[in-house]
Amino acid sequence: MPLPRLRPVLNLTMFLLCLLTSITFASSPFATSVVSYNPQPGQFTSNPAFNDPARALGPPLGGTPAQPDNTKLVTLGREGGNITLAFGRPVRNRAASPGNPRALDLILFGNAFYVGGNPARRWAEPGIIEVSADVNNNTLADDPFYVIAGPYLLSAPAPTLLEALLPASIFAPGGLTILDNPLGPDTTTEGVYAYADCTPTLLLGDLDADGESDNPALDPARFYTSPDNPLAVGLTPFSGGGDAIDLSWAVDPITRQTVQLAQIDFVRVRSGLSSAQVSFGEASTELGGVAIVQPRSPADIAGPGQSLGPDGERTADDIIVFLSWFIAQRPLADIAGPGQSLGPDGEFTADDLIVFMGWFLLPAEEP
Ligand SMILES: [Ca+2]
Ligand SMILES: [Ca+2]
Ligand SMILES: [Ca+2]
Ligand SMILES: [Ca+2]
């Protein structure tokens, strides 16, 4: 009877498969479970296409910078509506590193877009972001939440941020659906950051944010975990867009004092604008995914066969692709100026090559 002899092997195989599945699940860089979903009544909160909180799990679906994809989003409804999500692993408060120079930790994806493609003028439906660590280790989101404090929140007139947040929003009245860069139309410094649903989500593999994917087969876990620089106007090349935050921006909602968070386990997003103030249709925060930032070597620009986009490895493919950009004088290869100073200088010189090779040779960072 061969079958009984096979059974232990099958059992072992099943066990290993389950183990593998659980490992894959635990290592997902995206939110993995919905802790709670409490939308406030809005035009879309009873619409099955927008009221499934599971749409905030896993990677987002992106569009062009000027036109979002609205097929994988959950709406939070009007002000105060909220969702709380958990991850398969703690979200560390990362320090700055070559692969993550701005020390960013989480990226929130919604359906904001640049009006007419102008990055200084965005259609945004800001959501207030809060984070919490499972301090008492009971897997419940019953520990204090801290507010990611952006510039609007810190200037809110209420005595404490909690009062500024509840029950009305600091973005109401007026809806503030179209947000101009408060620092002006011509600066490269961004004044709108630290909120959800303010920055476009890009198409998978759109490495230069031109609205066309350069590699639709790129792993979403690599593309949507590379943060945009939230303090610079426009979208950082090789980022997937979305609103990136640093956990070091968290403040206590009562005292407004900065808190030191080594890591968090939960993120809560609260619709931060009053849909009632908008004269047409609905304005509400939407969420289509939350990613844990993964440091990406700036030299990891290609994978096997010189396919574009990071693959987590540094190989000859990366060097070949960089050299081809350099020879073609593509802006992506203008990464340095005189004395290997970082940033484009409009020239393609040995400085660019030296900086790239310096990045290539850096030790790998902890994922
Ligand atoms: Ca950080
Ligand atoms: Ca592109
Ligand atoms: Ca590579
Ligand atoms: Ca240069």
Side-chain angles (χ1 to χ4, degrees), residues 297 299-300 311-316 318 358-365:
S297 162
D300 182 12
D311 69 338
E313 309 279 342
R314 272 163 287 167
T315 65
D318 299 297
W359 287 344
F360 187 86
L361 295 170
L362 278 174
E365 289 181 32

Side-chain angles (χ1 to χ4, degrees), residues 205-215 330:
D206 182 5
L207 301 166
D208 54 1
D210 68 350
E212 290 182 24
S213 179
D214 306 284
N215 181 3
R330 284 193 57 185

